[in-house]
Amino acid sequence: MNPTLRSARFTAPTLLALGALNAWTAQEREDYGAFSTALCLCVCAAGLFGEDLLLRDRRRDRAVLAHIATHPGAATRHIARAVGASERVVARNLDRLTDDGLLVLVTDGATPALRSYRLAS
């Protein structure tokens, strides 16, 4: 199965929609056991969606690290273009990875545009 289809980006909204539909039909039939189960399904789907949002930055961190491993000395603009994110978002990822000691900032001058990164030794 395609990993994209297994991700929470698709399963969480699907589960939320199914739970809401089940809650609506259970309420119409006055089946409160099914109604409470449907609400629990909605809460679990919301939890999956929240977890996906929290882990999105970590997935991008891995993509940034992989790009720098294959392109040492890459500048922020090139990394952003390669991973498909804005320069500001990639700059946050780079700052976090530098703070964690996984990357080293290489300055070729005083201009921030000339900054590049490589893997820490």
Side-chain angles (χ1 to χ4, degrees), residues 60-84:
R60 194 176 307 107
D61 284 350
R62 287 194 311 254
V64 168
L65 275 175
H67 182 76
I68 293 174
T70 57
H71 301 91
T76 306
R77 180 177 303 128
H78 299 122
I79 298 167
R81 196 173 306 136
V83 299

Side-chain angles (χ1 to χ4, degrees), residues 36-99:
S36 62
T37 302
L39 290 181
C40 289
L41 181 63
C42 290
V43 169
C44 291
L48 277 175
F49 185 69
E51 182 182 12
D52 185 54
L53 289 177
L54 291 173
L55 294 178
R56 183 178 298 163
D57 283 339
R58 298 301 176 191
R59 284 192 300 274
R60 194 176 307 107
D61 284 350
R62 287 194 311 254
V64 168
L65 275 175
H67 182 76
I68 293 174
T70 57
H71 301 91
T76 306
R77 180 177 303 128
H78 299 122
I79 298 167
R81 196 173 306 136
V83 299
S86 70
E87 287 185 46
R88 186 178 346 168
V89 169
V90 170
R92 278 195 313 249
N93 292 105
L94 292 168
D95 288 341
R96 182 174 39 249
L97 292 168
T98 303
D99 291 343

